[in-house]
Amino acid sequence: MKPEEAFVFTYNYLMDKSPDYITALSWFNKIEKGKENVHSYNALIIKAPDYQTALMYFDLASKAEKEIYINSYERIALVSPDYDTALSWINKIKLGKLSIFAISILVSKSKDYETAAQWIGYLPQPGKYTDICNTLISKAPDYETAVQWFEKIEPGNPNATTYNLLMYKSKKFEDALKWFRLKLENKIEPDFVNYSTLFLDAIKEQDKNNFPELLWLLDSMKLYNLCADVITYTILINLSPDFDTALYLLNRMITEYNTYGNKILPNKRTKDVVYHKIIKTPEE
């Protein structure tokens, strides 16, 4: 290996290991002009932050008569602005079959569910690829279709995103709660958004039979160092079965504020809901 080739090899290696595009570009600029090789351009395409930047280095490589690597085509497809552009780059790859990464890109870039679902036929075992199934769950036109994709995922493979998507897709509070419990059973910690989704689903249904489950959810938040906000407490007070329970929740809310300094003091809406509990007649 000639000395100048050794330098290029070293700089290419440093570009590959660079944490970001700017760092990679700084190493690329150290290469003597005209000594760049296919790996040099490939590294910048992979690190490119957007489509136009990736395309610029592809064009430079083409002018230098450098045949870029397959993963560069995939990277350009990944940062493409739309599905049709991404597909045109994937079609440039001269392969007998698509890679898993290429299929994942096309599924995620697809404009609609039907287009995304057609690419699954290229996967021999779709259930092995949780992220691809998650994308199809998110694009599914309805809850039932989303559940079908969940059922294709191999046991043990669903992740936090899987359960979050199914909670969001659920039509009923009890369905969302089922996915929440499954998430906990699989030792995946919930986040505040999960709890908010459940409380908002409950208020939409206005079913007071859900109140015991909501109280359990409120208690469980502390296990994960989460704190209910004023909206959560207002929803619970709204759905509480009687004035005494509403008053208990109001006092608990104030106690949490005084004890932990949480910014959850009752607002006007909270007070209105409690007042409604006081004046509510048995006939209502």
Side-chain angles (χ1 to χ4, degrees):
M1 182 183 292
K2 297 178 181 179
E4 60 269 24
E5 291 176 339
F7 280 124
V8 173
F9 176 86
T10 302
Y11 289 135
N12 285 346
Y13 178 81
L14 290 166
M15 289 165 66
D16 287 338
K17 297 296 182 181
S18 295
D20 51 52
Y21 166 72
I22 297 300
T23 308
L25 181 60
S26 69
W27 290 113
F28 178 84
N29 288 335
K30 293 182 184 296
I31 301 173
E32 184 182 342
K33 192 169 181 59
K35 300 296 183 182
E36 308 92 343
N37 60 23
V38 61
H39 195 120
S40 311
Y41 291 108
N42 185 77
L44 283 177
I45 291 170
I46 296 300
K47 298 287 183 180
D50 53 58
Y51 178 70
Q52 292 302 326
T53 306
L55 188 60
M56 176 180 71
Y57 288 111
F58 176 84
D59 289 342
L60 286 173
S62 298
K63 288 176 183 176
E65 299 182 345
K66 310 292 185 184
E67 182 65 36
I68 67 168
Y69 302 154
I70 288 170
N71 62 344
S72 286
Y73 286 103
E74 293 176 336
R75 173 62 184 178
I76 298 172
L78 180 64
V79 295
S80 293
D82 53 57
Y83 171 78
D84 292 331
T85 307
L87 181 59
S88 70
W89 284 101
I90 295 298
N91 284 336
K92 293 177 189 294
I93 300 173
K94 299 177 177 62
L95 279 178
K97 62 178 182 178
L98 294 171
S99 70
I100 302 302
F101 185 46
I103 294 170
S104 176
I105 293 168
L106 293 171
V107 170
S108 65
K109 293 279 186 182
S110 294
K111 294 171 280 190
D112 51 58
Y113 170 74
E114 288 73 19
T115 304
Q118 74 177 3
W119 292 107
I120 297 302
Y122 292 88
L123 291 174
Q125 296 174 291
K128 290 176 63 177
Y129 309 104
T130 305
D131 290 341
I132 293 177
C133 288
N134 284 347
T135 302
L136 287 159
I137 289 172
S138 71
K139 291 179 182 289
D142 50 57
Y143 174 68
E144 290 73 21
T145 306
V147 172
Q148 289 174 9
W149 283 109
F150 169 79
E151 291 170 348
K152 292 180 187 295
I153 300 175
E154 292 183 356
N157 281 358
N159 56 26
T161 301
T162 311
Y163 294 113
N164 292 347
L165 287 168
L166 288 163
M167 287 177 64
Y168 179 77
K169 287 280 186 180
S170 297
K171 297 176 183 176
K172 301 176 182 177
F173 170 76
E174 63 178 322
D175 290 330
L177 184 62
K178 177 186 76 172
W179 298 115
F180 179 82
R181 290 185 184 278
L182 275 173
K183 184 175 183 177
L184 298 188
E185 287 173 13
N186 284 277
K187 296 180 171 50
I188 303 173
E189 283 200 11
D191 56 28
F192 186 79
V193 174
N194 294 155
Y195 282 99
S196 296
T197 299
L198 289 163
F199 286 119
L200 290 172
D201 282 350
I203 198 66
K204 287 176 188 174
E205 289 186 12
Q206 286 289 319
D207 186 348
K208 288 182 169 55
N209 291 325
N210 292 329
F211 185 77
E213 300 288 7
L214 293 173
L215 204 55
W216 170 78
L217 286 168
L218 179 66
D219 291 335
S220 73
M221 292 182 78
K222 291 183 179 179
L223 298 174
Y224 305 101
N225 296 315
L226 298 172
C227 178
D229 60 8
V230 64
I231 296 173
T232 302
Y233 270 106
T234 303
I235 289 171
L236 282 162
I237 292 169
N238 189 305
L239 294 175
S240 58
D242 50 55
F243 172 70
D244 289 340
T245 307
L247 187 60
Y248 157 75
L249 289 166
L250 181 66
N251 288 331
R252 176 170 170 174
M253 185 180 186
I254 295 169
T255 299
E256 284 198 14
Y257 174 81
N258 292 331
T259 304
Y260 305 109
N262 298 325
K263 297 178 180 180
I264 54 169
L265 280 176
N267 59 19
K268 183 180 182 300
R269 173 60 181 158
T270 313
K271 294 172 183 176
D272 288 345
V273 171
V274 174
Y275 178 71
H276 179 71
K277 292 289 180 183
I278 298 173
I279 65 171
K280 192 174 182 182
T281 61
E283 288 74 24
E284 289 184 314

